[in-house]
């Protein structure tokens, strides 16, 4: 049940958790250059503020503390962390000046990488070829960025191990080069759409 009102017990639980936790809001601010805030919202940098707002609203409805209050504490805690992460990402991306600064930081970080990345692509936005078990994305030159299912699964497992060792590590991603030209993209994902 989702309502516009917050019950006193839910509000107290949420406030208590935020006060007793290791400040996920400040962690998000400190690591906003490490985490891809667009990926947190399941969006791409080219989306408009209205499109980002729509994605934000959908995610907030799924993981709002009021909605998760009846679940066990570990599920509620995971949901609350996701809610705070989504909310913090939205606070940066909804403000035109903060978003511009964040985009400049992302671009500066991309330029410092060992391999130049021309853009970030969500795995969910790539075309799935079930017969060949791979994802493709068209390049502006007419070629394609191709990543196979095995590589995605290997990176997912590697990232899961890294996450266990260092909680809050960067989201999953792989640099993929075009099969025709010299452009490259960073393909990111939060969960696998195909198994």
């Amino acid at each position: 049940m989702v309502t516009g009102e917050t019950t006193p017990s839910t509000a107290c639980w949420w406030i208590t958790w935020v006060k007793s936790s290791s400040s996920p809001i400040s962690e998000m601010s400190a690591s906003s250059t490490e985490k891809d805030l667009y990926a947190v919202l399941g969006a791409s940098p080219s989306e408009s503020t209205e499109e980002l707002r729509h994605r934000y609203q959908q995610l907030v409805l799924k993981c709002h503390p009021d909605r998760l209050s009846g679940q066990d504490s570990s599920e509620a805690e995971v949901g609350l962390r996701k809610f705070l992460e989504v909310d913090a990402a939205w606070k940066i991306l909804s403000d035109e000046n903060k978003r511009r600064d964040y985009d400049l930081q992302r671009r500066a970080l991309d330029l410092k990488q060992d391999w130049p990345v021309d853009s970030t692509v969500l795995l969910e936005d790539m075309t799935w070829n079930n017969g060949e078990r791979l994802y493709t994305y068209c390049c502006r030159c007419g070629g394609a960025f191709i990543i196979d299912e095995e590589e995605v699964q290997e990176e997912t497992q590697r990232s899961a191990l890294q996450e266990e060792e260092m909680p809050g590590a960067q989201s999953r991603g792989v640099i993929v080069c075009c099969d025709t030209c010299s452009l490259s993209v960073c393909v990111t994902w939060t969960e696998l759409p195909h198994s």
Side-chain angles (χ1 to χ4, degrees):
M1 177 174 98
V2 177
T3 63
E5 300 176 12
T6 304
T7 62
S9 62
T10 305
C12 292
W13 171 82
W14 187 76
I15 291 168
T16 303
W17 187 87
V18 170
K19 286 181 180 177
S20 66
S21 71
S22 60
S23 186
I25 295 170
S26 63
E27 287 174 15
M28 174 59 106
S29 299
S31 66
S32 62
T33 56
E34 295 172 14
K35 276 193 185 235
D36 184 356
L37 300 182
Y38 293 103
V40 168
L41 295 179
S44 71
S46 62
E47 291 187 27
S48 70
T49 304
E50 282 304 311
E51 291 168 318
L52 292 176
R53 179 188 326 274
H54 180 70
R55 289 183 182 271
Y56 164 74
Q57 289 170 338
Q58 287 178 325
L59 288 169
V60 166
L61 284 175
K62 287 181 185 175
C63 59
H64 194 278
D66 288 346
R67 176 169 267 196
L68 303 174
S69 62
Q71 296 181 2
D72 68 58
S73 62
S74 63
E75 287 181 25
E77 187 173 322
V78 168
L80 181 59
R81 287 178 196 258
K82 178 70 176 169
F83 173 78
L84 292 172
E85 185 178 62
V86 166
D87 191 54
W90 172 244
K91 285 181 179 173
I92 291 172
L93 297 178
S94 65
D95 181 280
E96 187 178 320
N97 293 327
K98 289 179 184 177
R99 183 177 180 181
R100 183 177 49 249
D101 290 345
Y102 174 72
D103 288 342
L104 289 171
Q105 288 175 350
R106 283 182 79 236
R107 184 66 182 148
L109 185 62
D110 285 347
L111 293 173
K112 288 180 185 177
Q113 292 179 353
D114 294 336
W115 193 277
V117 175
D118 297 295
S119 67
T120 301
V121 176
L122 296 173
L123 185 68
E124 295 82 14
D125 292 338
M126 297 181 80
T127 304
W128 170 249
N129 182 324
N130 200 30
E132 296 182 27
R133 309 297 294 173
L134 50 83
Y135 297 89
T136 59
Y137 189 80
C138 292
C139 181
R140 64 182 180 215
C141 74
F145 300 100
I146 301 170
I147 183 170
D148 64 30
E149 180 181 39
E150 186 177 320
E151 189 175 358
V152 171
Q153 289 175 344
E154 286 173 6
E155 177 61 22
T156 300
Q157 291 171 352
R158 189 193 64 73
S159 294
L161 290 173
Q162 186 180 19
E163 178 69 29
E164 287 176 12
E165 294 171 6
M166 278 185 356
Q170 263 184 302
S171 63
R172 300 173 184 110
V174 175
I175 304 294
V176 180
C177 296
C178 176
D179 63 357
T180 305
C181 70
S182 62
L183 293 178
S184 62
V185 295
C186 180
V187 178
T188 63
W189 61 92
T190 52
E191 56 186 56
L192 297 177
H194 299 281
S195 298

